[in-house]
Amino acid sequence: MPTLLVVGATSDIAEATARRFAAAGYALQLAGRDKAALAAIAADLELRHRVAVTVHRCDVVEAEDRAALLGGLPVLPDAVVCAVGLLGDQRENETDSVAAERVMRANYEGPALLLGSLAEAFAARGTGVIVGISSVAGERGRASNYVYGSAKAGMTAFLSGLRNRFGKTGVHVVTVLPGFVDTRMTAGMAVPPALTAKPEEVAQAIWRAVERRKDIVYVRPIWRWIMAIIGAIPEGLFKKLSI
């Protein structure tokens, strides 16, 4: 039975992903900050899918927690999905360096360091799949979310480098770019329904990416074209727009 480690496992996307893989017979390792919430998700998964599930408390931005997670896993998983993320408040991030640091560490520093360590372990074994959930917000800095976007840009670049480093080995790296997703993170935001995916769509996209060894996944393909257009706008014009 293959095993999947889900980091940030209490998020809507992570929980949907855990359910998709459990339905396919994967054993699960759920990691996150709220062990009680993890235990509740694990109990439901075990009941519904009859798969083995272990829970591991881990705040991914803390080095000690990352080390404890890696040292405490019952087995090295076959694949890992990192769904850790923090949107934060852009206006607060502009004036409060502590808040900005929290967003940057949660979206880039912690996940990248954890996935880097797992990549080394996978490489030593010879196989493994790493799935990092980044964001289209990382493809161009915008006035409305550049703190979050800059951290995701770092995450996208890190995953790209990792993928190319291990490109000739049995270690595969997937970058997932969901676009808008209907989750607790976007609750109350005016997101366009036609561009907004459900967590289950993201989970299915991750499943296909792992099965088919895809490199970069836009959950809704239209986002590839939207970001290509946004990226092509000259900087002089872009700074005059309210995008």
Side-chain angles (χ1 to χ4, degrees):
M1 177 183 293
T3 300
L4 175 72
L5 167 63
V6 184
V7 185
T10 58
S11 78
D12 295 320
I13 291 175
E15 186 174 346
T17 301
R19 294 188 185 285
R20 178 63 186 85
F21 279 77
Y26 272 69
L28 296 168
Q29 301 165 341
L30 307 181
R33 293 181 299 174
D34 188 339
K35 199 164 184 178
L38 293 173
I41 295 169
D44 186 67
L45 287 167
E46 289 173 328
L47 181 64
R48 291 177 185 272
H49 299 288
R50 304 295 180 186
V51 297
V53 185
T54 58
V55 300
H56 309 270
R57 192 206 169 276
C58 177
D59 185 343
V60 75
V61 302
E62 300 296 338
E64 296 82 1
D65 281 19
R66 293 194 299 272
L69 173 64
L70 295 174
L73 294 174
V75 297
L76 184 63
D78 298 279
V80 55
V81 174
C82 183
V84 175
L86 174 64
L87 183 60
D89 179 85
Q90 171 62 29
R91 183 59 188 141
E92 180 184 20
N93 294 338
E94 292 167 4
T95 57
D96 184 342
S97 62
V98 174
E101 180 184 26
R102 191 159 51 239
V103 170
M104 292 173 179
R105 294 187 71 202
N107 289 295
Y108 173 57
E109 179 186 312
L113 291 172
L114 178 64
L115 294 182
S117 295
L118 281 164
E120 294 296 326
F122 287 172
R125 182 179 60 190
T127 61
V129 181
I130 289 173
V131 180
I133 298 178
S134 191
S135 172
V136 297
E139 300 198 349
R140 187 159 193 180
R142 296 189 296 131
S144 60
N145 69 350
Y146 64 82
V147 174
Y148 171 81
S150 67
K152 287 299 190 182
M155 189 63 187
T156 297
F158 183 86
L159 293 168
S160 176
L162 208 60
R163 176 165 48 249
N164 285 283
R165 177 186 166 198
F166 292 113
K168 296 179 181 178
T169 74
V171 179
H172 185 67
V173 180
V174 183
T175 304
V176 178
L177 303 166
F180 296 131
V181 185
D182 183 14
T183 66
R184 284 167 286 178
M185 181 183 285
T186 59
M189 295 174 60
V191 293
L195 300 178
T196 304
K198 296 292 184 184
E200 292 75 16
E201 289 181 64
V202 183
Q204 181 63 20
I206 292 171
W207 167 257
R208 286 198 303 266
V210 171
E211 287 291 295
R212 300 175 185 177
R213 292 294 195 267
K214 292 186 175 182
D215 294 326
I216 301 171
V217 176
Y218 290 83
V219 173
R220 290 203 169 183
I222 192 173
W223 277 106
R224 182 187 298 276
W225 303 108
I226 291 172
M227 296 315 300
I229 293 169
I230 290 176
I233 298 173
E235 194 73 9
L237 174 60
F238 194 69
K239 66 184 181 182
K240 298 176 182 177
L241 302 176
S242 300
I243 296 179

